[in-house]
Amino acid sequence: MAIKSIIKDNAEIVGLEITQELIEKLEIYAKELKEWNEKINLTAIKDDEGIAIKHFIDSLMLLKYVDIPENSKIIDVGTGAGFPGLVIAAARSDVKVTLLDSTGKKLKVVADIAEKMGLKNYEILNMRAEEAGQKKEYREQFDFATARAVAELRVLSEYCLPFVKKDGYFVSMKGALAELEIENAENALKVLSGKIEDKFCFDLCSQGERNIIKIKKISQIPTKYPRVSAQIAKKPL
Ligand code: SAM
């Protein structure tokens, strides 16, 4: 089956509205991703069904559950091959997405793919999250921070919440261990002024449980966060 049919059929299953224009962009994304993946290791998911469901539909689920107002500024932390950030940029031309990753070669591919998809509403940021979060041009500049498959929630909160404006959101995409990660992140969220406002648990097209955790930043956080990488690793909050 052609990837566009896989995307369309599975979008219907999960109740996602998806335009023809978006399907065409995602078709280009999949083709380029597969080609690049033969040259550099971008993703372990290589087949059309996996790319359509585990990358594209999964990324789009964030837009199903979280209301992102027009013209929002979003930072996708540890975007890798562009998930969920580049998919969100493709689906929502009104928002501006910053795609952050510490691995420059992945970002070069992401920029190449985004250009081929004809996207204009993104920027690439090759930096560690802990470093960018201490810079005034990125700290508290975003309405939303997103992240999928980057680190456990208590560590990820220290990476992501500094980017978010007061009253903005960090949206964390997690698998089946979400509840355990939430328990372990209790102290981190307290220290970093994060409050879980909503949680959405769903089955991703029979591919397993997924969770979206919507965390509100309720006030500014002390400037000592995020700490340097070694400290975060040695003593997670
Ligand atoms: N979010 C993508 C996805 O779901 O497919 C990529 C996940 S990949 C397993 C994790 C990515 O996070 C890698 O590309 C890695 O370079 C990046 N990463 C991990 N820690 C980071 C940090 N502290 N700052 C920036 N990027 C980081």
Side-chain angles (χ1 to χ4, degrees), residues 78-80 83 100-103 106 127-130 148-149 159:
T79 195
F83 306 113
L100 176 143
D101 205 286
S102 54
T103 307
K106 286 188 187 176
M127 221 180 266
R128 288 198 67 85
E130 319 76 295
R148 188 186 82 159
Y159 290 167

Side-chain angles (χ1 to χ4, degrees), residues 42-60:
L42 288 169
T43 168
I45 299 168
K46 297 182 168 83
D47 62 298
D48 280 349
E49 188 174 297
I51 293 171
I53 297 174
K54 293 184 182 162
H55 284 327
F56 297 160
I57 300 286
D58 192 34
S59 297
L60 289 169

Side-chain angles (χ1 to χ4, degrees), residues 115-129:
E115 202 191 316
K116 293 208 166 86
M117 290 164 78
L119 303 183
K120 302 267 182 269
N121 56 331
Y122 70 95
E123 75 172 4
I124 297 290
L125 183 56
N126 183 200
M127 221 180 266
R128 288 198 67 85

Side-chain angles (χ1 to χ4, degrees), residues 1-13 23 47-53 57 205:
M1 199 192 282
I3 191 155
K4 56 182 168 195
S5 307
I6 305 175
I7 298 170
K8 213 169 161 219
D9 291 355
N10 284 284
E12 255 170 46
I13 291 172
I23 291 179
D47 62 298
D48 280 349
E49 188 174 297
I51 293 171
I53 297 174
I57 300 286
C205 309

